[in-house]
Amino acid sequence: MTRQLTADVAVQSQCYLAEGPVWDPAARLLHWVDINPGHVHAFDPVAGVHGRFAPAGQDGPAVPRDDAVPVGAVGLTRSGGFVFALVDGFALGPAQPDPNQGGAGAGYPLTRVEGFRVDASVMRFNDGKPSPWGDFWAGTMPWKADGPACALYRLAPDGRVTELLGGVGLSNGLDWSGDRKAFYYADSRSGGVDIFAADPETGELGARRRFVTVEAGIPDGLALDAEGCLWLAVFGTGEVRRYTPDGDLDAVIRLPVDQPTSMAFGGRDLSTLYITTAREALTPAQVATQPHAGDIFACAPGATGRPPNLFAA
Ligand code: BGC
Ligand code: CA
């Protein structure tokens, strides 16, 4: 029988499109991006402190803005800094010891990875994560429904960028099994999550098969837990679901907002599931009925997570 779970508001962040949460076990901080405004957020659950900065553009209101440089994803690096998928390419930067320190305007020392750009007039980077092999995988999505085909890319620690997969509709959630032999991937336009065989030594992708199809809503961010079960945010349904390795629906977290986007385990013993949500595309009337859209939720689902992979730089 499918278990029904609930989640509480953990951070009233009021983001436009909160995405890609990652728990930093060393700093004991939860980070996530608010993609269009180009913010990286930090939350200290023990102190209850929440802040944000804009690594590449101007800091400003949490709405899409001309002076913002969107940030699709953030990952942690071995040296204690960040790796970013910006709107059109990759960049690196140091940790922000004080999450309230401001952004580019305050002189955040961002180092762009030169030699690779996607066409930001038609697409932007979306979800991404460091892989178990120490590189950073991130994919693109079109700005418009009839936009061009997108792709999944790999940034190596030496700055080389490789296209891993073309013909992608909307690159979204990604994660790897504990034995590194399976890569879970949501192309949101495909309506489900696929599993690729992965070479455990190199990460190279092999045969692809369908893992789960969602009948309603959009498959978005995902994460595997310590038991090898898959957590999947189903954007548009208010649900975060847990699937067993056999693809059976084990648990559903029902949220009071329609648009969950992604999740990460964090906190003590990695036993809290933090869930990001969005107010993107909601009408003012819809926001009035789901005022916590764009906030971060927390659930104790009885499962634990795994420490995040780190980018080897
Ligand atoms: C994208 C959103 C999109 C959502 C559902 C997210 O990953 O960033 O722009 O609306 O997926 O497709
Ligand atoms: Ca996403």
Side-chain angles (χ1 to χ4, degrees):
M1 223 183 61
T2 304
R3 293 179 295 133
Q4 304 290 329
L5 304 169
T6 56
D8 298 320
V9 174
V11 191
Q12 295 194 28
S13 53
Q14 297 284 288
C15 291
Y16 179 77
L17 180 53
E19 280 275 7
V22 55
W23 175 256
D24 181 339
R28 298 199 187 98
L29 292 174
L30 181 77
H31 292 290
W32 66 95
V33 295
D34 191 355
I35 295 183
N36 306 68
H39 295 148
V40 174
H41 287 250
F43 173 59
D44 177 339
V46 173
V49 176
H50 167 228
R52 71 176 199 213
F53 72 107
Q58 291 303 310
D59 204 345
V63 293
R65 307 182 331 265
D66 287 344
D67 62 344
V69 176
V71 189
V74 65
L76 307 175
T77 69
R78 273 188 202 160
S79 54
F82 293 126
V83 55
F84 306 98
L86 300 179
V87 62
D88 60 353
F90 297 101
L92 292 156
Q96 279 286 83
D98 174 359
N100 288 303
Q101 230 168 20
Y108 181 72
L110 189 76
T111 305
R112 289 202 179 236
V113 175
E114 297 303 338
F116 171 82
R117 290 277 192 281
V118 300
D119 183 356
S121 67
V122 288
M123 63 178 68
R124 66 160 167 84
F125 267 96
N126 197 40
D127 211 341
K129 274 180 189 168
S131 81
W133 302 276
D135 39 32
F136 182 62
W137 293 29
T140 48
M141 64 169 273
W143 286 113
K144 294 193 175 142
D146 60 353
C150 288
L152 177 68
Y153 298 94
R154 175 180 63 205
L155 169 69
D158 65 4
R160 272 181 308 136
V161 178
T162 311
E163 182 181 308
L164 298 171
L165 188 67
V168 172
L170 194 166
S171 192
N172 234 323
L174 66 171
D175 207 354
W176 295 262
S177 62
D179 64 7
R180 306 180 177 195
K181 288 182 181 166
F183 173 59
Y184 289 71
Y185 182 57
D187 175 343
S188 290
R189 292 274 171 84
S190 79
V193 177
D194 288 344
I195 295 181
F196 289 80
D199 181 328
E201 302 298 322
T202 64
E204 196 176 329
L205 297 177
R208 178 178 192 167
R209 68 177 169 90
R210 178 49 48 114
F211 176 60
V212 288
T213 298
V214 301
E215 291 73 32
I218 301 169
D220 201 330
L222 60 83
L224 266 72
D225 64 27
E227 290 162 22
C229 291
L230 176 82
W231 293 87
L232 176 68
V234 188
F235 190 96
T237 65
E239 290 184 1
V240 171
R241 301 182 189 159
R242 185 183 199 237
Y243 293 95
T244 68
D246 293 331
D248 295 327
L249 184 62
D250 166 63
V252 174
I253 305 174
R254 180 151 279 293
L255 299 161
V257 298
D258 287 343
Q259 299 183 157
T261 57
S262 192
M263 76 297 291
F265 283 92
R268 229 187 124 112
D269 307 325
L270 298 173
S271 58
T272 301
L273 189 67
Y274 289 104
I275 299 164
T276 50
T277 71
R279 51 178 53 200
E280 177 195 40
L282 295 182
T283 63
Q286 287 171 315
V287 172
T289 60
Q290 40 183 307
H292 290 296
D295 287 350
I296 309 303
F297 288 79
C299 172
T304 56
R306 307 173 298 169
N309 299 318
L310 304 176
F311 184 65

